[in-house]
Amino acid sequence: MELIYTPKQQAFRTEVRQWLAQHLPAEPLQSYDTREGFEQHRAWERQLFDARLSMVMWPTELGGRGCDLIEWLIFEEEYYAAGAPMRVNQNGQLLLGPTLMEFGTEAQKNRFLPAMASSEQMWAQAWSEPNAGSDMAAISSKAVRDGDDYVINGQKTWSTRAIFADWCFGLFRSDPQSSRHHGLSYLMVPLDAPGVTIRPIKALNGKEAFAEIFFDNVRVPQENCIGEEGQGWKVAMATAGFERGLLLRSPARFQKTARDLVQLYLANQASADRDPAIASRVAKVWSDAQAYALSAYYTVGRLSRGEKIGAESSINKIIWSELDLAMHQLAMEILGPQGELTQTQNSHWLEGFLFAQAGPIYAGANEIQRNIIAERMLGLPKS
Amino acid sequence: MDFTFTDDELAFKEAISRFLMTEAAPEALREIWETDSGRSPELRAKMAEQGLTALSVPEHAGGLGLNDVAWSLMTQELGYYGIPDSMADTAYVAAGLLAALSSAAQNGTAQNSTAQNSIAQTDELLGGIAGGELRLALQHPVNPLVADAHLADFILLMEGVNPAGNTDISQAALHCVPRRDVDISLHPSIDSSRRLSQVSWQPKPETLLCRGDEAAALMEETLQRGALSVAGQLLGLAQRMLDLSVDYVAQRKQFGRAIGSFQAVKHHLADVAAKIEFARPVLYRAAWALAHQQPESGLYVSQARLACDDAAQLAAHHGIQVHGAMGYTWEVDLQMFMKRSWSLASSWGDRAFHQQRINTALFAHDASLDYGPADTFGSAPEREVNNA
Ligand SMILES: Cc1cc2nc3c(=O)[nH]c(=O)nc-3n(C[C@H](O)[C@H](O)[C@H](O)COP(=O)(O)OP(=O)(O)OC[C@H]3O[C@@H](n4cnc5c(N)ncnc54)[C@H](O)[C@@H]3O)c2cc1C
């Protein structure tokens, strides 16, 4: 055990820190749940890409810079500490990207990954359906083989930023006789293809954060299938692992929020201390954010020893979603009557509070994660 | 950056675990509980044979010279198997204190002549610990009563300690007193394996180890080791309670099926598993920081203490719930581990004490700025780390 960064790691940290200090947008970008904000974010992502700081862990030939997981954690720490913009293409970069690396053909990797790293192509995730939420194996949207094409019909829902995205990836039933998790294929679909209709859904904050996608005889070529036809479930489970696990919610994001919360508390200490428990609750969530970061580093250590991380990624999912909720709940309590206001310098806490409500629901509801922990980690019998 | 244990550390942990599994089964522990001393000299001797007592004694005094990081694994095993013995107090906490004293004397940095003179005595004590012949008990202002004083050969005592805990330790002096020179009155605990005593004694010049700033610094470090030892044991206890509960709910049937297949029961235990996984790296980081005398180690130890306590208390709470009435009985093994976790929860600093330390570190003027995401591991020490 040696919990000190090496000189090389320190040098990388310094490089990232300096680059961010020089290039960070002077004005905060607008919300990426608006068209204008979305395009501002795309431009920012392009800048990151040009500096080879978009996907630091990806190999150089795919637009990355071949960093290891520790360097990635360092990058994230610097990125969030600097208050850099949220990443807009996470569905592509963090979920589909690793999936393609593991299951994609060379042609697919070369075609999609660099464009994803630069955010020239923005991706939406199209898994959920009106009748397939937690029970994803109930998917009924169809992809019927016709020569070298699939013809897609059906409906997806809750697809984040789909109204702005260029492509989506999702599971479709390619074997009409199949049921449950058999006979599903993992397909990539351009959202401007004929037959695709996208209808935005307003989220709690009134912004069009997600959408329904309707497919009416949409044709995509067979080469848009990732993995083998009918084996989509297996590939999707890998994606779900990335989603819950380390990558999507890097600890630095919560450390940054925790640190900001400490400052929010200090700035409002006089009123916050009316409830003496607030101080200790702030210290607790700050400690939990630290603990989440430590567990990420420890997981990296386990991976480096050759261990496989399985159901534990479900623990991650519970931890970060509940931590996010606890921090924002606390911010609302500290802000008191100011908390509800949407146009103040503290309104980002309200935005965060609203978004934190969704954490225990998306990426697999927390009840489902607890089932996974109980059954696969503890070996309890299935219900 | 390397957040892993060495193969040696892991192998040692495995060996201890296998040993305790057979030698310290719950039935054996129950028998030990019934004895007057509450301790088994045989079990103690066997643990010494395994090398546990020599683990952190410096090599020059006949030990293995491992540090707090190794103990962060070992104390979990002691907790997991509910060892009714102050093994960690002697071989980890007291040995750590004596080792620090010995190296200060050797380096000539000891601040008073008594410590200089006592180097032979200190190393003799360390040798006795390594060989498993000696038991030491320790007093600290945060613990109103001294654990295992009734069996100790020596007790490390602080002159001027006030049992109410509001001692100013910068004024204190540290003594190593043979038990025959003290009076002891036992105070029974709900945990049948705990033996807590009030100790009365008179300081004498020949028992003095050190005083003033040196004593205060040593006692602070000792508090950290004590707290870390308890944290590790609590985490081990949490894992044991979880394992016992998983076993129980898999075989107990109601409504025609195993209760472990009911979601409410599953979720209780999943939450315990999450708390445990989450606390583990916090414990390891604190141990590393202490071993390397990082300036923030006090903060990290307190974080570890609370995180491990959270895990243990939840494991006890959900553990007894999923056991039903069975969990409320003397008969079921869960009770042994549950009561240990309740009693350890306020040993070497209670929750409020450790919470206060975190709050102070975090809310001190300007301090919060130092603990951002770019500082996950605190400020790295400038100096070369050579005792790794
Ligand atoms: C902000 C946000 C963004 C999203 N983005 C996307 C996206 O980009 N792409 C996409 O495909 N989807 C997306 N989703 C959808 C998300 O994946 C689903 O909401 C989630 O899987 C839960 O499905 P559901 O909403 O249908 O809830 P349901 O499955 O109807 O569940 C409702 C409640 O019942 C509980 N429940 C269900 N089954 C069980 C069970 N077996 N045991 C115990 N409890 C159970 C759930 O835990 C939950 O509390 C997003 C959702 C949100 C909120």
Side-chain angles (χ1 to χ4, degrees):
Chain A
M1 200 170 286
E2 188 67 293
L3 304 187
I4 301 181
Y5 301 103
T6 63
K8 184 167 167 269
Q9 288 163 348
Q10 290 287 23
F12 178 64
R13 182 187 290 285
T14 307
E15 183 202 325
V16 173
R17 188 175 293 182
Q18 284 170 353
W19 188 89
L20 286 167
Q22 283 158 14
H23 294 88
L24 222 52
E27 292 285 304
L29 307 186
Q30 292 178 40
S31 162
Y32 52 35
D33 291 333
T34 62
R35 170 57 75 186
E36 210 181 335
F38 191 80
E39 292 309 328
Q40 287 176 353
H41 276 80
R42 198 197 292 262
W44 164 249
E45 296 271 338
R46 176 80 212 186
Q47 244 184 306
L48 279 175
F49 176 76
D50 290 340
R52 301 251 156 202
L53 290 174
S54 169
M55 302 312 296
V56 293
M57 276 201 297
W58 289 12
T60 43
E61 59 278 16
L62 296 174
R65 61 147 68 206
C67 287
D68 62 17
L69 278 162
I70 300 270
E71 287 164 330
W72 170 72
L73 283 165
I74 291 171
F75 171 81
E76 294 284 298
E77 288 172 359
E78 290 302 320
Y79 191 85
Y80 284 102
M86 295 292 284
R87 304 296 294 269
V88 69
N89 203 7
Q90 295 178 354
N91 283 323
Q93 294 169 342
L94 302 181
L95 305 183
L96 180 61
T99 308
L100 274 173
M101 298 228 194
E102 197 169 328
F103 297 94
T105 62
E106 285 310 306
Q108 286 173 334
K109 289 184 210 174
N110 294 329
R111 178 172 167 209
F112 292 111
L113 291 175
M116 191 184 286
S118 67
S119 286
E120 187 187 323
Q121 272 173 8
M122 298 277 210
W123 287 83
Q125 185 190 36
W127 284 3
S128 304
E129 295 184 1
N131 293 314
S134 297
D135 184 13
M136 212 169 66
I139 279 173
S140 65
S141 291
K142 290 183 187 51
V144 177
R145 198 54 189 270
D146 179 25
D148 286 342
D149 288 345
Y150 292 102
V151 179
I152 301 176
N153 280 287
Q155 181 194 347
K156 297 286 180 178
T157 188
W158 312 127
S159 189
T160 296
R161 291 186 287 284
I163 53 168
F164 309 128
D166 308 297
W167 283 73
C168 74
F169 58 93
L171 282 181
F172 299 86
R173 199 160 288 288
S174 53
D175 176 358
Q177 311 300 327
S178 67
S179 69
R180 308 296 300 160
H181 47 273
H182 304 286
L184 295 169
S185 292
Y186 197 126
L187 302 180
M188 297 177 281
V189 186
L191 288 172
D192 58 0
V196 173
T197 310
I198 301 174
R199 201 176 65 84
I201 306 173
K202 276 190 187 170
L204 276 190
N205 62 3
K207 298 203 177 88
E208 295 175 339
F210 39 33
E212 293 174 297
I213 310 175
F214 300 89
F215 301 89
D216 180 15
N217 287 319
V218 177
R219 291 187 90 87
V220 296
Q222 197 267 329
E223 69 239 29
N224 285 16
C225 178
I226 307 176
E228 280 169 50
E229 180 177 306
Q231 299 294 311
W233 185 260
K234 191 180 88 184
V235 185
M237 287 302 102
T239 311
F242 301 131
E243 182 165 18
R244 286 163 207 153
L246 220 49
L247 295 186
L248 181 66
R249 289 293 174 257
S250 72
R253 173 170 164 177
F254 302 99
Q255 286 175 283
K256 164 77 168 137
T257 307
R259 183 190 176 188
D260 290 349
L261 187 63
V262 170
Q263 285 175 322
L264 184 73
Y265 164 72
L266 289 174
N268 294 275
Q269 196 169 358
S271 56
D273 281 353
R274 277 177 309 162
D275 177 357
I278 295 269
S280 292
R281 283 168 63 200
V282 171
K284 161 94 173 116
V285 294
W286 177 82
S287 291
D288 285 351
Q290 291 288 100
Y292 180 45
L294 292 173
S295 80
Y297 276 92
Y298 189 62
T299 300
V300 171
R302 289 177 57 195
L303 290 168
S304 75
R305 272 203 304 265
E307 286 180 44
K308 288 257 181 297
I309 309 299
E312 293 97 319
S313 60
S314 293
I315 290 183
N316 250 11
K317 161 76 218 286
I318 296 177
I319 297 290
W320 61 247
S321 57
E322 294 184 355
L323 172 61
D324 206 31
L325 207 47
M327 288 195 292
H328 286 94
Q329 172 70 42
L330 209 43
M332 290 295 104
E333 290 181 47
I334 291 170
L335 286 169
Q338 245 204 70
E340 68 178 295
L341 305 178
T342 59
Q343 309 278 333
T344 73
Q345 56 166 3
N346 280 320
S347 302
H348 62 282
W349 287 107
L350 176 61
E351 277 290 320
F353 173 75
L354 294 178
F355 187 59
Q357 306 302 315
I361 298 169
Y362 67 80
N366 286 11
E367 286 77 10
I368 304 298
Q369 305 311 314
R370 288 185 162 91
N371 290 348
I372 293 174
I373 295 165
E375 286 165 18
R376 300 204 207 133
M377 216 177 124
L378 303 179
L380 292 177
K382 284 201 174 286
S383 350
Chain B
M1 175 61 55
D2 173 19
F3 208 162
T4 62
F5 289 92
T6 64
D7 289 344
D8 282 354
E9 286 163 339
L10 292 173
F12 199 62
K13 175 196 120 72
E14 261 312 296
I16 293 296
S17 175
R18 271 197 309 275
F19 163 78
L20 293 176
M21 194 184 308
T22 49
E23 297 291 338
E27 312 78 71
L29 299 190
R30 284 171 186 269
E31 278 174 27
I32 298 173
W33 277 15
E34 305 294 322
T35 63
D36 272 350
S37 71
R39 301 291 173 258
S40 157
E42 296 76 33
L43 178 60
R44 178 75 170 209
K46 286 183 184 164
M47 285 196 284
E49 256 168 57
Q50 294 290 316
L52 254 189
T53 47
L55 193 70
S56 69
V57 171
E59 284 165 294
H60 78 260
L64 299 171
L66 294 180
N67 64 21
D68 307 273
V69 173
W71 275 106
S72 68
L73 292 175
M74 240 34 88
T75 48
Q76 284 180 69
E77 297 304 319
L78 296 175
Y80 190 88
Y81 292 103
I83 298 307
D85 196 300
S86 59
M87 171 60 83
D89 281 0
T90 293
Y92 174 41
V93 187
L97 187 157
L98 294 171
L101 211 52
S102 162
S103 81
Q106 272 179 345
N107 301 338
T109 51
Q111 281 166 12
N112 71 57
S113 55
T114 319
Q116 289 283 7
N117 296 337
S118 66
I119 178 167
Q121 189 206 344
T122 309
D123 283 352
E124 197 182 310
L125 287 172
L126 281 167
I129 291 173
E133 297 106 45
L134 285 187
R135 288 171 183 267
L136 271 78
L138 305 98
Q139 183 196 46
H140 193 282
V142 296
N143 295 324
L145 298 172
V146 180
D148 272 33
H150 68 300
L151 267 195
D153 300 288
F154 291 92
I155 309 175
L156 296 166
L157 288 163
M158 286 179 82
E159 188 179 345
V161 159
N162 170 341
N166 54 0
T167 304
D168 174 5
I169 64 173
S170 66
Q171 299 300 313
L174 182 63
H175 291 256
C176 180
V177 186
R179 189 187 29 133
R180 60 179 186 292
D181 295 347
V182 306
D183 286 325
I184 278 170
S185 61
L186 275 163
H187 291 244
S189 157
I190 181 63
D191 173 358
S192 303
S193 74
R194 290 267 281 173
R195 300 293 150 109
L196 300 169
S197 303
Q198 180 144 8
V199 177
S200 18
W201 63 295
Q202 286 302 324
K204 292 186 196 140
E206 61 268 27
T207 58
L208 179 68
L209 287 177
C210 60
R211 64 165 71 247
D213 291 349
E214 194 184 5
L218 266 183
M219 290 318 278
E220 171 60 24
E221 202 179 303
T222 298
L223 168 70
Q224 319 257 61
R225 293 226 160 79
L228 211 54
S229 161
V230 168
Q233 291 179 64
L234 285 169
L235 199 57
L237 285 160
Q239 186 67 51
R240 184 61 173 272
M241 291 188 272
L242 175 62
D243 289 355
L244 287 170
S245 302
V246 165
D247 288 349
Y248 184 77
V249 304
Q251 51 90 16
R252 167 75 177 162
K253 289 204 170 69
Q254 286 295 285
F255 303 97
R257 55 186 174 121
I259 57 172
S261 68
F262 294 115
Q263 198 171 52
V265 171
K266 279 184 182 161
H267 286 193
H268 280 328
L269 298 183
D271 281 340
V272 175
K275 275 268 189 293
I276 292 174
E277 291 301 320
F278 198 47
R280 216 167 250 143
V282 183
L283 173 69
Y284 299 152
R285 187 266 290 267
W288 190 88
L290 184 56
H292 296 269
Q293 303 189 324
Q294 284 206 308
E296 295 89 355
S297 62
L299 167 67
Y300 297 161
V301 167
S302 289
Q303 285 182 291
R305 230 340 261 285
L306 291 190
C308 294
D309 191 39
D310 280 348
Q313 299 319 319
L314 196 72
H317 179 61
H318 286 341
I320 190 170
Q321 186 68 24
V322 304
H323 273 76
M326 209 50 175
Y328 193 66
T329 65
W330 189 266
E331 190 179 324
V332 78
D333 289 340
L334 179 73
Q335 59 110 340
M336 308 172 74
F337 304 97
M338 220 161 40
K339 291 193 303 209
R340 179 72 49 84
S341 75
W342 292 331
S343 65
L344 282 183
S346 48
S347 174
W348 290 104
D350 56 15
R351 289 192 68 93
F353 176 86
H354 290 287
Q355 184 71 62
Q356 187 63 49
R357 277 161 66 104
I358 298 172
N359 291 9
T360 304
L362 192 58
F363 303 135
H365 202 54
D366 287 344
S368 61
L369 295 177
D370 295 338
Y371 300 119
D375 263 303
T376 302
F377 290 95
S379 50
E382 305 287 344
R383 69 206 139 69
E384 281 293 309
V385 176
N386 49 22
N387 53 337

